[in-house]
Amino acid sequence: MDHRPFEDWLLDNDQPLTTDQKRQLNTHLRTCSSCTTLAEMNLALKSVKLAAPEVGFSGRFQVRLAAKKHALRRRNFVGFLILTLSVLGLLGLVSWPVLKDLIQSPVNFFSSWISSLVSLWASLQALFRAGMVLFKVAPGFVPAYIWVVILFATGGWSVVWVVSLMKFTKVKQGV
Amino acid sequence: MTDETTWIIQAQQGDDEAFTYLVETYQKPVYNLCYRMLGEPESAEDAAQETFLKVYQNLARYDRERSFATWLLSIAAHHCIDRLRRRRFPSVSIDEDEEGQTDIPDRFAPDPESETTKRQERESLHQCLQSLDPTDRAAVIMRYWQDFSEVEIAQALKLTVPAVKSRLHRARRALADLWEDKPAHMRTERKPYGSPAF
């Protein structure tokens, strides 16, 4: 038996059938058990009703939401606590040698820190003085043309740099 | 701006009362989808509640250009599909009907026999649905219970429209085969060709 187009109407067509199509389908269904089953199935699906939850669904949701929020807050608090303790522990571990000296002999600790700072300051001053001496003496040793070469080289390098920057950062217009 | 849009905006701004309105409006379609997908009232209740929790947590990501119902049922369908994949053995409750009550015919109803037949038919259909592939099942539920178009089903299930057509075709065919295998008393006694639907 030829089931087309009846199967297509029953399986794929969600649009309402025309009067003529309905008549043809009804005639076919009287003699075709396969298409009758399809039609029965369609009827059963079209006549189903929505299942409803038990009364108080939104109230139960409020309770669940509150519990979820509470659990989230607790988890955040525990997470923050673990992070803080971890950071403090790590800091303690790293600074333990320094702290140990401080605890054992505070006077020695501070005096060694002050002497370190003083020697650093003295070293910086010596370096500055050496630099000033070099700056005053160097022009006498270096010939004038070397200075000219250095000047031009620096200028050329700057030009190349600026041109390169302009070329690579230029925004194309149009197109 | 519709009332629903106002509630959504307010809920996005952290108004829990507005979100409760949304829950009350959509509890039935979401529960129905979960019940038809999972087959048990308890699982359906839990899945529907979890769906609303997910919606609550992700409401900021909701695009107001899209239909809220499609977005919401998409979350519910994917949640149920995930649950079904995690399930080892399918279980179908046949002890309770849609309202969670035992299957005792109402003897005060106008026609108790007819009521029982309808109930058996619904139960039978429910059992047939459980044997479908989860995504096919979701497509059928959205088509027949939520009256979604094929485009809306495609959006909700992240499928193409031809894929939805193909899945609906396959599902209807499979349901008809299962329907045919049911004992005659479990099937409808109506004559399809006598129905105004045709």
Side-chain angles (χ1 to χ4, degrees):
Chain A
M1 185 180 288
D2 186 13
H3 298 286
R4 283 183 182 273
F6 311 111
E7 268 194 355
D8 295 340
W9 292 348
L10 293 167
L11 285 171
D12 299 320
N13 185 19
D14 286 328
Q15 302 303 317
L17 300 179
T18 64
T19 314
D20 190 45
Q21 284 173 331
K22 280 180 196 171
R23 191 183 49 74
Q24 287 178 47
L25 180 63
N26 285 340
T27 310
H28 177 74
L29 289 180
R30 285 192 176 89
T31 55
C32 178
S33 64
S34 163
C35 288
T36 301
T37 310
L38 274 178
E40 277 182 5
M41 188 72 236
N42 264 347
L43 265 183
L45 281 169
K46 280 174 183 166
S47 59
V48 288
K49 59 176 186 176
L50 281 179
E54 283 183 29
V55 178
F57 181 88
S58 61
R60 291 192 295 281
F61 174 74
Q62 293 296 338
V63 172
R64 193 181 272 223
L65 182 63
K68 185 94 176 173
K69 281 180 174 176
H70 179 70
L72 192 69
R73 273 198 299 270
R74 200 172 53 191
R75 200 176 65 188
N76 287 345
F77 174 73
V78 170
F80 178 75
L81 200 68
I82 289 172
L83 187 73
T84 309
L85 289 176
S86 306
V87 169
L88 286 177
L90 197 70
L91 275 174
L93 200 70
V94 169
S95 58
W96 176 242
V98 180
L99 287 175
K100 201 169 70 177
D101 288 349
L102 179 67
I103 293 162
Q104 280 174 349
S105 170
V107 178
N108 282 351
F109 176 81
F110 283 114
S111 66
S112 75
W113 265 92
I114 289 166
S115 67
S116 299
L117 284 175
V118 169
S119 70
L120 182 69
W121 177 245
S123 304
L124 285 174
Q125 275 186 325
L127 206 64
F128 179 72
R129 277 198 296 271
M132 289 301 288
V133 171
L134 200 65
F135 185 71
K136 283 177 187 165
V137 177
F141 291 108
V142 181
Y145 69 91
I146 295 290
W147 289 113
V148 174
V149 170
I150 289 171
L151 196 67
F152 275 97
T154 313
W157 183 254
S158 303
V159 170
V160 170
W161 196 6
V162 170
V163 170
S164 307
L165 280 176
M166 283 171 69
K167 190 172 178 181
F168 289 116
T169 57
K170 190 176 177 182
V171 178
K172 287 181 181 173
Q173 301 288 320
V175 190
Chain B
M1 195 183 287
T2 61
D3 280 353
E4 184 185 280
T5 315
T6 312
W7 291 341
I8 292 168
I9 292 168
Q10 287 174 350
Q12 282 178 325
Q13 289 164 350
D15 183 346
D16 283 357
E17 204 177 325
F19 192 77
T20 306
Y21 279 121
L22 292 172
V23 172
E24 280 168 1
T25 307
Y26 286 102
Q27 55 177 313
K28 208 169 170 183
V30 170
Y31 176 83
N32 177 68
L33 179 83
C34 296
Y35 177 66
R36 303 295 170 193
M37 288 293 289
L38 303 171
E40 296 166 339
E42 297 82 14
S43 306
E45 164 89 13
D46 189 51
Q49 296 270 350
E50 283 297 313
T51 299
F52 280 112
L53 273 180
K54 278 188 182 180
V55 168
Y56 183 85
Q57 285 164 345
N58 293 290
L59 200 58
R61 291 188 209 163
Y62 165 64
D63 173 12
R64 287 202 287 268
E65 298 297 311
R66 285 181 64 188
S67 150
F68 184 72
T70 309
W71 183 69
L72 176 64
L73 291 175
S74 166
I75 292 174
H78 284 106
H79 181 74
C80 291
I81 290 169
D82 286 347
R83 270 188 177 224
L84 287 167
R85 284 186 185 145
R86 283 200 300 267
R87 251 190 209 175
R88 214 165 182 189
F89 303 105
S91 69
V92 177
S93 166
I94 55 168
D95 297 331
E96 296 184 2
D97 77 347
E98 289 153 7
E99 282 73 38
Q101 294 165 343
T102 48
D103 190 17
I104 301 167
D106 179 4
R107 63 194 179 91
F108 299 109
D111 183 358
E113 199 179 332
S114 160
E115 285 297 310
T116 310
T117 310
K118 280 182 187 169
R119 203 165 279 213
Q120 282 175 336
E121 183 186 308
R122 284 202 299 268
E123 217 167 72
S124 175
L125 181 66
H126 192 61
Q127 286 179 351
C128 290
L129 263 182
Q130 302 308 308
S131 59
L132 293 180
D133 165 81
T135 311
D136 292 1
R137 200 184 312 169
V140 169
I141 294 164
M142 285 179 178
R143 180 72 199 91
Y144 287 99
W145 275 271
Q146 316 300 151
D147 215 17
F148 273 19
S149 68
E150 284 161 349
V151 175
E152 286 171 319
I153 298 171
Q155 284 174 351
L157 297 177
K158 295 186 173 71
L159 298 169
T160 61
V161 174
V164 170
K165 281 179 192 280
S166 155
R167 279 179 181 274
L168 282 175
H169 178 102
R170 190 172 62 194
R172 282 166 180 150
R173 169 66 74 196
L175 284 172
D177 290 345
L178 289 164
W179 194 250
E180 201 166 19
D181 294 340
K182 292 278 171 193
H185 72 274
M186 296 281 277
R187 286 162 51 182
T188 178
E189 289 176 354
R190 285 172 295 180
K191 298 291 178 208
Y193 46 80
S195 163
F198 299 102

